[in-house]
Amino acid sequence: MPPRRAASLSRVPAPDTDAEAPTPGLAARDTAPTAGAAHAHAVGVETAQRWRNLLCVGLMALIAGMCALPAGPSFNPGKPYQYLLVLTLYLPALILGFSRFERWRELARRPLMPWLMALFVWSTISLAWTNASRPLDEILRTLSVLVFLFAWMHGVGADPRRQRGMLVTGAGVLAVTAVAAMIRFAVQPPPDGRVIGFGVMANANLIAAAMGAGFLWLWPWRFQARWQRLLKWLAMAAMVACLVLADSRSAWAALFGAVFVLLAIRRNERAWQRLLGLGVVALGVAAAAYPELSERGWSFRPQIMQYAWALFEQHPWLGLGQGARFTIPVQGGMGMDQVHTHNLFTQVAVEIGLPGLLLWSIVWLGLGWRAWRHRDDAIGRVVLALWVFASVMVQFDLPHLIDSPRPGWLIIWLPLALSLSLPAASTGPPRTR
C-alpha cells in the first residue's frame, strides 16, 4: 500500500508557481461553499451512521424479542414485541430510507429483488378477492418483510464484522433461550413430552426452526481463543439438544441435510471423515428412535396435501387471496381441522395462485443457486445452510410466507437478507473469516 500511495502522489502535477495568485477575498468566497458542503456531507454521513447503528439494535431486538417477549393468539407477536420493533427497527429504517430515496432503489436493484417485488405486488393485488378479516394487516405484514430486508442491507450490509457480530450474538441469544427452555422442560414436562420455547416460540416446531437456524449461524465461523471455541461448541450443543427434545422430525431431517451439505462442500479428507461419522450417527439415532417415530406416522400430511391440491384446483390462477381463511378437515385420531396446508409451497399456491407460486419459486431457487456459487465465502455458506434447512422443513411445517416476525423469518427471510451483500458473481478468493 505505501509504495502505491507514493506513486499516485508522484503523478499529481506540481503547482504552477508562475500562475497569478488569486485575490484573498475571492479565494475565501470560493472555498467557503466547498468547506460548508464538506461539513454538511460529514454531518449527513455521521447521522446516517447513527441510524444504521440503531437498525442493528432493532435487528437484534427482532431476534431477542422472539425468544422472550409474550405472544398473542396463534403465536403471533404480542403488542410489546410489535411496539419494540416499531421504535427500534421499522421507524429508523423508514426515516433512513425516505431521507434518501436512492437507498430504496439500491435495494430494488439487488439480485432477485425485482422478482420478490413482483411477488409482493401480486400478493397485495390478491387482497381484492381475499376473505381475510383484516386485509390491512396483510399489507402491514408485506411491508414489515420489505422493511426488514432494507434494514439488514443498510444496517449490516457487506460489513464482515457486523455480519459476524449479528449472527454470533443472535446465536448466543438463541443458545441461552435453549438452556432456559430445557430447564423449564425438566421442571415442568409438557403433556406431549416436547420442549417448547417462550413467546412466539412457544411451539415445538417453531423453537426447533429457531434452534436449527442458530446452530447454522455459528457453524462457519472460526475463533482463535480457546474459550471462544469452547463457548461456540457449548452453544451449538445446547441448540441441538433443544431441537432434539422438540421432537420435530422435519427439523431433524432439515438439520441433517444442512450439516451434510456444509461438510460435503469442504472437499478435504477430514471433512469426509466427519461426513461418514455424521451418517453413522444419523443411522444410529434413526434406528433407536424408529419405534417412537413410526408411532406418530405421517401426521395426516398426505391427507392434508390432497385437500390442499383440491383447493388449488378450484382457483389455480388467482388463488384465494393473501391471508385467506380456509379449513382442511382431517379425519382420524387427531380430530382437529387444519387452517393451513403444513407446506409452504402449497400454502402459497392456495393463497396467491400459480403466478405467486412461480414468482416465489424463482426467488427461492435463485437464492439457492447464488448461495451455492458463493459457498467458499462464510456468508455464502450460512445462506446455503439455511436454504437447505428451510427447503426441507417447510415441506412439513412453517407454511406461511408473508407473515409477522416469527421463527420462520430466521430461515426464510434472513438468508435472503444475507444474500443481498453477496456480489452478483463469485469472483476472487474467499473472504477472510
Side-chain angles (χ1 to χ4, degrees), residues 22 38 101 130 163 169-170 195 203 209 291 321 339 361 372 380 418 429:
F101 197 76
T130 185
Q163 290 173 342
T169 305
V195 69
N203 173 276
V339 295
S361 299
W372 176 256
L418 287 169

Side-chain angles (χ1 to χ4, degrees), residues 319-334:
L320 299 178
Q322 181 181 336
R325 296 171 298 168
F326 57 87
T327 301
I328 297 179
V330 177
Q331 305 296 328
M334 193 159 54

Side-chain angles (χ1 to χ4, degrees), residues 257-421:
V259 173
F260 183 92
V261 170
L262 287 175
L263 289 174
I265 63 177
R266 294 182 72 98
R267 294 172 298 187
N268 57 49
E269 182 178 353
R270 190 176 179 184
W272 285 107
Q273 293 174 353
R274 293 179 177 177
L275 196 61
L276 180 61
L278 175 66
V280 172
V281 171
L283 288 176
V285 171
Y290 179 76
E292 182 180 352
L293 295 176
S294 60
E295 182 181 356
R296 291 172 58 188
W298 289 98
S299 298
F300 299 93
R301 293 300 193 272
Q303 182 180 348
I304 295 173
M305 176 70 73
Q306 183 179 5
Y307 196 90
W309 179 254
L311 283 176
F312 170 70
E313 288 182 323
Q314 294 175 15
H315 306 277
W317 293 106
L318 299 181
L320 299 178
Q322 181 181 336
R325 296 171 298 168
F326 57 87
T327 301
I328 297 179
V330 177
Q331 305 296 328
M334 193 159 54
M336 294 192 317
D337 292 341
Q338 300 297 298
V339 295
H340 55 71
T341 68
H342 280 278
N343 179 288
L344 177 67
F345 290 91
T346 57
Q347 183 77 19
V348 170
V350 169
E351 287 192 5
I352 52 180
L354 186 59
L357 179 62
L358 290 176
L359 288 171
W360 173 242
S361 299
I362 291 172
V363 173
W364 192 246
L365 293 176
L367 177 63
W369 174 242
R370 296 197 71 227
W372 176 256
R373 295 180 65 189
H374 294 278
R375 62 190 180 276
D376 291 330
D377 183 278
I379 289 298
R381 286 194 295 277
V382 172
V383 175
L384 180 61
L386 290 173
W387 185 87
V388 173
F389 183 85
S391 295
V392 175
M393 189 163 188
V394 301
Q395 302 304 319
F396 310 96
D397 295 295
L398 308 180
H400 298 292
L401 176 62
I402 301 176
D403 200 4
S404 303
R406 295 204 291 178
W409 277 37
L410 305 181
I411 64 173
I412 296 175
W413 298 119
L414 180 60
L416 185 60
L418 287 169
S419 74
L420 297 175
S421 65

Side-chain angles (χ1 to χ4, degrees), residues 127-142:
L127 295 175
W129 56 82
T130 185
N131 65 353
S133 57
R134 303 179 66 177
L136 179 60
D137 288 352
E138 302 301 327
I139 295 177
L140 293 178
R141 291 187 178 101
T142 302

Side-chain angles (χ1 to χ4, degrees), residues 181-251:
M182 288 188 291
I183 291 175
R184 187 179 66 175
F185 176 78
V187 174
Q188 291 182 328
D192 60 356
R194 304 174 67 185
V195 69
I196 61 174
F198 312 91
V200 298
M201 295 184 186
N203 173 276
N205 292 325
L206 293 176
I207 193 173
M211 295 304 139
F215 179 91
L216 298 173
W217 294 348
L218 274 182
W219 179 281
W221 304 110
R222 295 180 178 177
F223 298 89
Q224 299 300 323
R226 180 176 300 177
W227 67 271
Q228 291 176 330
R229 294 196 297 270
L230 178 61
L231 282 180
K232 170 186 173 178
W233 289 107
L234 287 175
M236 292 172 70
M239 287 183 284
V240 167
C242 186
L243 185 149
V244 170
L245 291 174
D247 198 15
S248 174
R249 293 172 294 177
S250 60

